[in-house]
Amino acid sequence: MSDVAAPPTSWLVVHQPGHAPVTVELHGELSIGRDVGQPGVAGHLALEGDPTVSRLHAVLANRPAGWCVQSTSATNGLFVNGTRLAVGSLRLLASGDELRFGERTTT
């Protein structure tokens, strides 16, 4: 029996207008963008039905300091707790932070 504790689980909750919230467990890195009609791939969250979301809107990555979000060149921007991130900027996330991609909100 091992005395090593399992690492804490991190997740993203996606709130979409007219749909029940969806919880995504986070592992390593997750790209987030618009569904482009291709088969789903591991490590990519496709947000369907929102033309304000870019093909590659943001990237979540687990860094030594914790989970970070990086804004890509998304036309409609990425917002963290209501503040728009500059293109290419990286932001350390805290539990309960709210991310907004187009009409989608995640916590």
Side-chain angles (χ1 to χ4, degrees):
M1 188 173 257
S2 174
D3 291 336
V4 177
T9 301
S10 298
W11 60 88
L12 185 71
V13 180
V14 181
H15 300 273
Q16 302 177 59
H19 298 282
V22 175
T23 301
V24 178
E25 193 169 340
L26 299 175
H27 300 280
E29 186 171 288
L30 178 71
S31 63
I32 301 169
R34 183 177 68 237
D35 178 18
V36 293
Q38 297 177 356
V41 295
H44 180 74
L45 175 62
L47 300 176
E48 300 178 26
D50 187 346
T52 65
V53 173
S54 296
R55 285 177 186 255
L56 177 59
H57 208 97
V59 177
L60 290 172
N62 194 359
R63 305 288 170 100
W67 281 95
C68 296
V69 63
Q70 184 168 21
S71 175
T72 65
S73 57
T75 304
N76 293 303
L78 167 65
F79 296 81
V80 178
N81 298 325
T83 302
R84 187 176 182 146
L85 295 185
V87 171
S89 66
L90 188 68
R91 166 112 180 238
L92 181 63
L93 297 173
S95 180
D97 278 350
E98 181 182 272
L99 309 177
R100 185 168 54 86
F101 316 90
E103 296 299 315
R104 305 297 186 252
T105 301
T106 62
T107 54

